[in-house]
């Protein structure tokens, strides 16, 4: 198994930036594809971005494309989400998740970190 801990959330004004981090412990981090998801109050959890095991490919939802960037540092067992040009609709709890390379499904989840964007 892998344990995931997110950090970096907080309160920011619209137009500002935040960088979320997710540090993994347990089995080999570089064996997992990683992703970020978010859940706003009263809404279902939605996909934000994901990155392959090696970090060579990334995918971002249309809602965040051009503003958010996912990256990873396998030497630090950490995946990041750089969030720029934040909007009030980005307010949500952000979760990181890990997908074993042999499965492709996100089986492991962090506890979440709150991001609040004030307008």
């Amino acid at each position: 198994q892998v344990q995931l801990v997110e950090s970096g959330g907080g309160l920011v004004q619209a137009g500002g930036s935040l960088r979320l981090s997710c540090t993994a412990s347990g089995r080999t981090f570089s064996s997992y594809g990683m992703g970020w998801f978010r859940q706003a109050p009263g809404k279902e959890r939605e996909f934000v971005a994901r990155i392959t095991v090696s970090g060579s490919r990334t995918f971002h939802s249309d809602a965040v494309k051009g503003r958010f960037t996912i990256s990873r540092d396998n030497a630090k067992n950490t995946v990041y989400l750089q969030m720029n040009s934040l909007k009030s609709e980005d307010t949500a709890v952000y979760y990181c998740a890990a997908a074993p390379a042999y499965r492709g499904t996100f089986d492991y989840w962090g506890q979440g970190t709150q991001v609040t964007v004030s307008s």
Side-chain angles (χ1 to χ4, degrees), residues 64-117:
V64 307
K65 197 172 296 182
R67 300 187 298 121
F68 292 10
T69 302
I70 188 171
S71 63
R72 67 189 295 162
D73 185 340
N74 286 347
K76 295 183 178 180
N77 286 4
T78 301
V79 61
Y80 304 98
L81 186 67
Q82 178 66 45
M83 305 186 295
N84 299 328
S85 303
L86 282 160
K87 306 175 181 180
S88 57
E89 52 263 44
D90 295 318
T91 294
V93 177
Y94 284 72
Y95 300 88
C96 74
Y102 67 91
R103 283 175 56 84
T105 56
F106 289 100
D107 291 344
Y108 304 100
W109 294 81
Q111 83 290 347
T113 185
Q114 176 71 48
V115 172
T116 303
V117 183

Side-chain angles (χ1 to χ4, degrees), residues 22-63:
C22 173
T23 301
S25 60
R27 289 191 174 179
T28 307
F29 177 72
S30 58
S31 298
Y32 293 87
M34 299 297 296
W36 285 97
F37 294 76
R38 67 186 182 185
Q39 187 167 18
K43 295 186 177 182
E44 294 193 353
R45 187 175 297 183
E46 66 171 350
F47 165 77
V48 175
R50 65 182 176 95
I51 187 167
T52 55
V53 168
S54 66
S56 61
R57 297 185 68 189
T58 61
F59 307 87
H60 298 79
S61 70
D62 288 343

